[in-house]
DNA sequence: GCGCCTTCTTCCCATTAGAAAGCTACACGT
DNA sequence: ACGTGTAGCTTTCTAATGGGAAGAAGGCGC
């Protein structure tokens, strides 16, 4: 693991200036997991039925969704990443994966209570994004035009 | 752009089932920016002086930090990614970059009010991470031992 | 039997992050 | 005046990661 080695070397270099922010900290690992690109979207999809109406504050309520349903809704996720992300979420106890032995095998994913509490956090983040979206866009345009 | 094409094809496939979750939505772009790996850490670093004590709830107060200070604190970020992330944050109006003409040129980064409000969100996320860290770890171990 | 549907996996390639070196600019010491 | 050292940033090369498409259980209808 070259990364850990490099980080540790740099840590010795700096002279133990941090107790946190270090890669080994579990909180940071969890933050990395949370801040995965698709995790947020899957949580938003599972957490609210109609997750993106700006007027309805994600009030659709949590519901179970099937694999293909998620794949359709997310509209840009590859099947590989969807499966991979769902597995990691299941591993972390954020979603449950239930195989329903219907005519073709159906798999439904649902948020656990833990995932639901995380979804609450995500909702706040999404609210922030929707509230400050135009601010950020304005800053971005100003920055881009400033350096022509 | 094959990705957009694929997403659009899938969109037509599903029959306009989403107005959100689509890649072009600015809210999603913003969410992607927020959920970048280093953005959260830089915000945490700039937002609180001693950002990771579990007892002190990130109360160090926001302060400006120099480039090398950030590089030391984050302890695992490459200089390239640090510069890149700081530039994008500056572009989005979340941090200010001020060049101080000291003996060697010093650059100090500071959160804007917009970045500070985002840091408030991040603080909630970090609190969640610290609160449920052990839950997630327990689930993870259980999952790993279950499939031997 | 043949094909199909749903979920998931495997292969290959494009994109991106990371590591290390180099580059610029400028004050300072000599 | 010339090298040196420091801070910030850039470049270059390589390893890891993500996306796309094809394909594999596994059970059903035709």
């Amino acid at each position: 693991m070259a990364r850990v080695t490099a980080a540790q070397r740099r840590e010795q270099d700096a002279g133990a200036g941090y107790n946190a922010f270090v890669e080994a900290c579990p909180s940071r690992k969890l933050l990395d997991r949370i801040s995965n690109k698709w995790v947020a979207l899957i949580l938003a999809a599972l957490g609210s039925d109609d997750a993106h109406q700006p007027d309805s504050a994600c009030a659709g309520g949590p519901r179970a969704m099937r694999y293909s349903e998620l794949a359709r809704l997310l509209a840009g996720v590859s099947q590989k990443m969807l499966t991979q992300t769902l597995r990691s979420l299941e591993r972390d106890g954020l979603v449950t994966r239930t195989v329903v032995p219907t005519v073709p095998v159906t798999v439904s994913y649902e948020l656990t209570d833990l995932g639901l509490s995380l979804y609450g956090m995500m909702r706040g983040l999404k609210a922030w994004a929707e509230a400050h979206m135009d601010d950020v866009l304005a800053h971005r345009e100003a920055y881009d035009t400033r350096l022509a």
Side-chain angles (χ1 to χ4, degrees), chain A:
Chain A
M1 281 198 175
R3 272 191 293 194
V4 176
T5 307
Q8 284 171 349
R9 179 161 41 74
R10 203 169 294 191
E11 192 172 0
Q12 294 172 1
D13 237 16
Y18 15 75
N19 44 1
F21 287 110
V22 99
E23 273 192 11
C25 178
S27 164
R28 171 152 163 192
K29 285 181 190 170
L30 202 48
L31 204 64
D32 279 4
R33 169 59 42 90
I34 290 169
S35 68
N36 187 359
K37 183 179 177 183
W38 300 113
V39 167
L41 290 170
I42 289 178
L43 284 175
L46 288 175
S48 78
D49 193 350
D50 192 16
H52 210 75
Q53 302 288 1
D55 45 351
S56 77
C58 307
R63 71 177 179 118
M65 293 183 75
R66 287 182 39 204
Y67 177 86
S68 52
E69 211 171 350
L70 283 169
R72 254 191 303 275
L73 184 61
L74 264 60
V77 68
S78 64
Q79 293 185 335
K80 188 181 73 170
M81 283 319 292
L82 183 54
T83 302
Q84 190 174 310
T85 309
L86 285 169
R87 282 282 148 77
S88 69
L89 287 177
E90 186 200 1
R91 192 170 98 105
D92 291 353
L94 295 170
V95 303
T96 56
R97 176 180 179 271
T98 46
V99 179
V100 184
T102 50
V103 184
V105 180
T106 307
V107 185
S108 83
Y109 295 90
E110 195 169 7
L111 284 181
T112 62
D113 49 354
L114 193 62
L116 207 56
S117 79
L118 179 55
Y119 170 68
M121 286 285 107
M122 291 304 311
R123 232 173 45 178
L125 209 58
K126 195 156 85 66
W128 188 94
E130 285 171 355
H132 299 280
M133 187 169 55
D134 38 2
D135 278 342
V136 169
L137 255 53
H139 273 287
R140 205 174 287 189
E141 279 184 21
Y143 184 90
D144 286 351
T145 54
R146 196 180 315 143
L147 43 89

